[in-house]
Amino acid sequence: MLITGDHPGTARAIAAELGVIGPDDPVADCRAPNAAADPGTAVFARATPAQKLDIIQAMRERGEVVAMTGDGVNDGPALRRADIGVAMGRRGTEVARQAADLVLADDDLGTVVAATEEGRRVYGNIRRFLVYGLSGGAAEIAVMLLGPAIGPALPLLPAQILWINLLTHGLPGVALGGEPVERGAMDRPPRPPSESIVGAGLWQRVLRIAFVLTAVTLGVAAWAYHTGRPWQSMAFLALGATQLAAAIGSRSRPGSRGNPMLLVAVAAALGLQLAGLYLPALRGLLGTEPLTAGQLGAVLGLSVLGYAAVRLDRVLHPTKRQKPHH
């Protein structure tokens, strides 16, 4: 939308060049009676500061999130009233810069687009980490609560749980914050302002993934327990490895070379997890015992289900958000 104090002819030329309107679309002259009363109009010409405020207020009352750009003294009140006021850093007046929430140092509106994309990347990565961390934590709790029902009274020792937490939520969790923006992120509608960061199906996704992580771990533990194998060490590896596989599945662009640090972090965490089974010093600390090659291969093979759980959940249960107002 273009709101300007310029004459309608000038406003039309600017709006057409920017692609705001087509050649036959109307331009509202704010000096005409009731011209600024319809917030659905795309271009308002000869607008006064008071009329700019009325237009912004009407849009906000419809549920829109309004960003206002400006550089003059007369733009100050509208910049303050908007949800996000954006002032020009070079040619903008001091009044406009003080009233705005964001100042463009280079006066390039393309910077707003880049900043919006970066904001969506950061927000998406926060949600990505929450799904990964909460599903892993829920699985750990479920394993400890449900484990006695399948045989072993204490599925994992406290030191083993702590070790898994340090490895899975440490390096891989931090590395998830470096994921690149998802493809098509700027084509999605904005999220509703009232939506919680754990909204839009995040809690349900956490529970679904946690169910798979829990099932794999308890399945390995039950099989090993009833066949005389080192069940606790196998459960220890299964719970950690499935979470690391889920971290790989959480990537924003699977199969790409973006964020190689996540792969390095997962490899390092898996190496430390195996060290907890085979290094004598760590075995004494964690209360584990070494696995045979067959046992190791079986657990690592099943841990791939952690990756599959995350990827399939995105396909079967895509994030759904309410459509914004237009």
Side-chain angles (χ1 to χ4, degrees):
M1 178 180 292
L2 175 65
I3 310 174
T4 176
D6 295 320
H7 188 273
T10 305
R12 175 182 292 280
I14 296 173
E17 183 179 352
L18 294 175
V20 176
I21 61 173
D24 300 324
D25 292 330
V27 173
D29 186 346
C30 291
R31 300 296 172 89
N34 300 322
D38 181 11
T41 304
V43 179
F44 296 90
R46 300 205 299 169
T48 66
Q51 288 170 323
K52 292 180 181 179
L53 288 175
D54 291 340
I55 295 169
I56 290 174
Q57 187 60 34
M59 294 179 67
R60 294 186 67 183
E61 289 175 355
R62 291 196 308 161
E64 300 277 9
V65 177
V66 183
M68 166 75 183
T69 62
D71 56 9
V73 173
N74 290 339
D75 293 325
L79 289 169
R80 179 72 69 180
R81 178 69 60 87
D83 294 290
I84 305 168
V86 183
M88 302 299 153
R90 292 180 178 175
R91 67 175 183 270
T93 63
E94 183 63 24
V95 171
R97 291 197 296 267
Q98 291 296 326
D101 303 292
L102 177 68
V103 177
L104 294 178
D106 55 4
D107 284 9
D108 184 358
L109 289 177
T111 303
V112 177
V113 179
T116 302
E117 184 177 58
E118 176 65 9
R120 291 191 172 194
R121 185 190 74 84
V122 171
Y123 190 83
N125 284 345
I126 292 173
R127 285 176 56 90
R128 187 169 289 107
F129 173 77
L130 286 175
V131 171
Y132 170 66
L134 292 175
S135 60
E140 292 167 8
I141 294 172
V143 166
M144 296 303 291
L145 292 178
L146 300 177
I150 63 171
L154 187 63
L156 293 170
L157 299 176
Q160 295 171 349
I161 288 287
L162 179 59
W163 186 255
I164 292 172
N165 267 320
L166 289 174
L167 296 185
T168 58
H169 296 173
L171 291 176
V174 173
L176 276 175
E179 281 296 291
V181 65
E182 292 184 1
R183 293 184 178 91
M186 295 298 287
D187 297 328
R188 296 197 302 262
R191 62 182 178 85
S194 60
E195 180 185 287
S196 167
I197 195 170
V198 294
L202 186 143
W203 272 112
Q204 295 89 330
R205 179 165 293 174
V206 166
L207 295 177
R208 289 190 295 264
I209 295 174
F211 174 82
V212 175
L213 302 181
T214 303
V216 171
T217 303
L218 290 180
V220 167
W223 170 67
Y225 179 79
H226 292 290
T227 56
R229 291 175 170 84
W231 57 268
Q232 195 171 65
S233 294
M234 294 178 71
F236 166 75
L237 178 60
L239 185 56
T242 50
Q243 289 188 59
L244 294 176
I248 298 295
S250 300
R251 301 183 72 193
S252 60
R253 300 185 181 187
S256 73
R257 296 182 180 180
N259 192 21
M261 287 306 301
L262 177 61
L263 300 178
V264 173
V266 168
L270 181 60
L272 289 172
Q273 185 83 0
L274 295 175
L277 294 173
Y278 295 103
L279 288 184
L282 288 178
R283 288 210 312 266
L285 177 66
L286 300 174
T288 60
E289 52 186 302
L291 305 181
T292 66
Q295 294 165 352
L296 179 65
V299 174
L300 293 180
L302 288 171
S303 69
V304 177
L305 292 175
Y307 174 89
V310 177
R311 300 313 309 170
L312 285 176
D313 194 85
R314 286 177 170 269
V315 174
L316 299 177
H317 304 280
T319 300
K320 294 181 180 179
R321 292 191 169 100
Q322 69 183 53
K323 295 181 179 180
H325 298 285
H326 293 286

